[in-house]
Amino acid sequence: MSIAALTEADDGPRSKRPAILAAAVECFGEVGFEATKWSEVADRVGIGQPALYHYFESKTHCLLTIMRLGLRNSDDAFRAAVAESGTAHDALRAAVRAAFEISPQEVQQNRILQSNIALLAGRRSSEREEAERQACRKLVARIERNWADLVQHGIDRGEFARHDPLIMARSLLGLVVSVWRWYRPDGSMELPSIAEFIGGCCARMVGDGAPE
Amino acid sequence: MSIAALTEADDGPRSKRPAILAAAVECFGEVGFEATKWSEVADRVGIGQPALYHYFESKTHCLLTIMRLGLRNSDDAFRAAVAESGTAHDALRAAVRAAFEISPQEVQQNRILQSNIALLAGRRSSEREEAERQACRKLVARIERNWADLVQHGIDRGEFARHDPLIMARSLLGLVVSVWRWYRPDGSMELPSIAEFIGGCCARMVGDGAPE
């Protein structure tokens, strides 16, 4: 269980927050968010409900935090991957590879994120939930912008065909995240092969530029 | 409001079922499934709660029915579109076009379907809900099979490059349905342009075959 992916800068060494998030990822991944009992999360961490409520005011608050951290990790991984790339095609391949070079816990986190993404559409009445929702929405917009910038860069270099960069970015992202709907760790295709397959699809989608 | 898309063979002319489904599509589309009050649906149709319960035992039962009819319509539209096509590339373009030649109500229905697709993962304790869930799962598998057969056909004809047909089918579908996450009727891009854009992406994704 990788705790780093669920840790934040202001979590002290004695904070139970990352452990609660890890247990919640397990539970939501196993039986879904709706069917998970909040008390089950406390039991797995070995804490009481009051301690749980010290960190999260509700199961939804915990879910939104998991979603935000998943988005934060995707954003970080994208930036690290493209920073080292030369051509736009290299950057695109590296970005897709980074999306799939993740731990089983992060796979669960991504599945939870995609399954509950509709939660980001509607305003929350709780202030802390609403703060997490707003942070998630900002990250979604930033990730779309990352990919759109990459597409624009490829067009400017004459590597990619001319398409609306934002619509192309959303389409590339839509394809990448669609994997979390059908991928299973015990399935017939492993993550490196999936990354290779999806990377090829993305490379063909952006098309060939016509340098002058 | 198109009632045909929400009608079933065994709905008599006096059945309130299609009207209830249409009102529920409106409500779920406007404020989301969770935030919709079941009584609001009854009010829009102009019936009482007992009449509502005559048709649907719960809000979830109604949602699963909306999802199943959305999937049924997609399956029907795909079959009609590809039946008239000559080459595999024509069939692929026609299938994508059919996915976007839909009414505003069907757009809402698709958004609801995609937002709540995680509901299909977990067994329902109610028998009627479970029956709808199973029917939805069968339709999802059939739609994947439709697209996989189309990909296989293109490979066999030497039109498409050789890729795992089921993984390619899921990827094409993932791209197509990802549109319902960002498309808005008042947005900058209209459905025919989106169909053209996504159709081009799909055509490039399947790649070029190398006929012998």
Side-chain angles (χ1 to χ4, degrees):
Chain A
M1 187 154 62
S2 147
I3 288 292
L6 296 168
T7 300
E8 298 194 74
D10 57 356
D11 279 318
R14 293 174 59 189
S15 170
K16 297 260 188 243
R17 247 171 51 95
I20 294 169
L21 290 166
V25 166
E26 274 182 18
C27 292
F28 299 166
E30 284 165 20
V31 299
F33 171 72
E34 290 301 337
T36 294
K37 287 199 183 71
W38 204 198
S39 60
E40 168 69 17
V41 175
D43 289 348
R44 290 208 189 185
V45 185
I47 59 174
Q49 293 235 19
L52 198 59
Y53 281 102
H54 170 70
Y55 295 99
F56 298 104
E57 72 173 36
S58 65
K59 196 171 68 159
T60 302
H61 180 210
C62 178
L63 171 63
L64 285 163
T65 305
I66 289 169
M67 292 170 74
R68 175 176 56 77
L69 292 172
L71 290 163
R72 178 202 67 176
N73 296 347
S74 293
D75 181 38
D76 291 348
F78 178 96
R79 285 161 190 271
V82 304
E84 297 161 15
S85 304
T87 70
H89 264 295
D90 287 345
L92 180 58
R93 285 286 187 159
V96 173
R97 255 195 321 272
F100 296 105
E101 272 172 359
I102 60 179
S103 70
Q105 178 191 271
E106 284 173 291
V107 169
Q108 283 289 30
Q109 205 172 346
N110 277 331
R111 291 186 60 192
I112 292 165
L113 173 64
Q114 296 308 323
S115 296
N116 295 284
I117 199 94
L119 192 62
L120 303 186
R123 201 178 166 75
R124 311 297 308 171
S125 53
S126 136
E127 242 178 69
R128 289 170 75 188
E129 290 178 14
E130 181 62 13
E132 287 289 15
R133 185 182 79 93
Q134 293 287 355
C136 285
R137 288 174 68 96
K138 269 192 200 143
L139 281 162
V140 167
R142 189 197 291 186
I143 289 168
E144 283 185 358
R145 180 48 52 203
N146 290 343
W147 286 77
D149 287 347
L150 169 52
V151 171
Q152 185 64 60
H153 179 61
I155 293 169
D156 291 345
R157 286 176 57 107
E159 288 186 55
F160 301 169
R162 294 194 174 276
H163 292 292
D164 182 308
L166 185 58
I167 303 296
M168 181 56 81
R170 286 172 173 165
S171 299
L172 295 168
L173 267 168
L175 172 61
V176 167
V177 306
S178 72
V179 167
W180 305 122
R181 282 213 186 156
W182 56 264
Y183 170 74
R184 297 293 176 273
D186 54 358
S188 63
M189 208 168 172
E190 296 188 0
L191 285 179
S193 309
I194 292 174
E196 182 62 27
F197 176 86
I198 299 291
C201 288
C202 289
R204 294 192 296 281
M205 263 170 76
V206 295
D208 292 319
E212 280 149 44
Chain B
M1 189 153 58
S2 146
I3 288 291
L6 295 168
T7 301
E8 297 193 74
D10 57 355
D11 279 319
R14 293 174 59 190
S15 170
K16 298 260 188 244
R17 249 171 50 95
I20 294 169
L21 290 166
V25 167
E26 274 182 20
C27 292
F28 299 165
E30 283 165 20
V31 299
F33 171 72
E34 291 300 337
T36 293
K37 287 201 183 69
W38 204 197
S39 59
E40 168 69 17
V41 176
D43 289 348
R44 290 209 188 183
V45 185
I47 58 174
Q49 293 236 18
L52 198 59
Y53 281 102
H54 170 69
Y55 295 99
F56 297 104
E57 72 174 34
S58 65
K59 197 171 67 160
T60 302
H61 180 210
C62 178
L63 170 63
L64 285 163
T65 305
I66 289 169
M67 292 170 75
R68 175 175 56 77
L69 293 172
L71 290 163
R72 177 202 68 176
N73 295 346
S74 294
D75 181 38
D76 290 349
F78 178 97
R79 285 159 191 272
V82 303
E84 297 161 15
S85 304
T87 69
H89 264 296
D90 287 345
L92 180 59
R93 285 285 187 162
V96 173
R97 253 193 325 269
F100 296 105
E101 272 171 0
I102 60 180
S103 70
Q105 178 189 270
E106 286 173 290
V107 170
Q108 282 289 30
Q109 205 171 344
N110 277 330
R111 291 186 59 190
I112 292 164
L113 173 63
Q114 295 308 323
S115 296
N116 295 284
I117 199 94
L119 193 62
L120 303 185
R123 201 178 167 75
R124 310 298 306 172
S125 52
S126 136
E127 243 178 69
R128 289 169 77 187
E129 290 179 13
E130 180 62 13
E132 287 289 15
R133 185 182 77 94
Q134 293 288 353
C136 284
R137 288 174 66 96
K138 269 192 199 141
L139 282 162
V140 167
R142 189 197 289 186
I143 289 168
E144 282 186 359
R145 180 48 52 202
N146 290 344
W147 286 77
D149 287 348
L150 169 53
V151 171
Q152 185 65 61
H153 179 61
I155 293 170
D156 292 345
R157 286 176 56 108
E159 287 187 56
F160 300 169
R162 293 192 174 276
H163 291 292
D164 180 309
L166 184 58
I167 303 295
M168 181 57 81
R170 286 172 173 165
S171 299
L172 294 168
L173 266 169
L175 172 62
V176 167
V177 304
S178 72
V179 167
W180 306 121
R181 283 214 185 153
W182 57 262
Y183 170 75
R184 297 293 176 273
D186 53 359
S188 63
M189 209 168 171
E190 295 188 3
L191 285 179
S193 308
I194 292 174
E196 182 62 26
F197 176 86
I198 298 290
C201 287
C202 289
R204 294 191 296 280
M205 262 170 77
V206 296
D208 292 319
E212 281 151 44

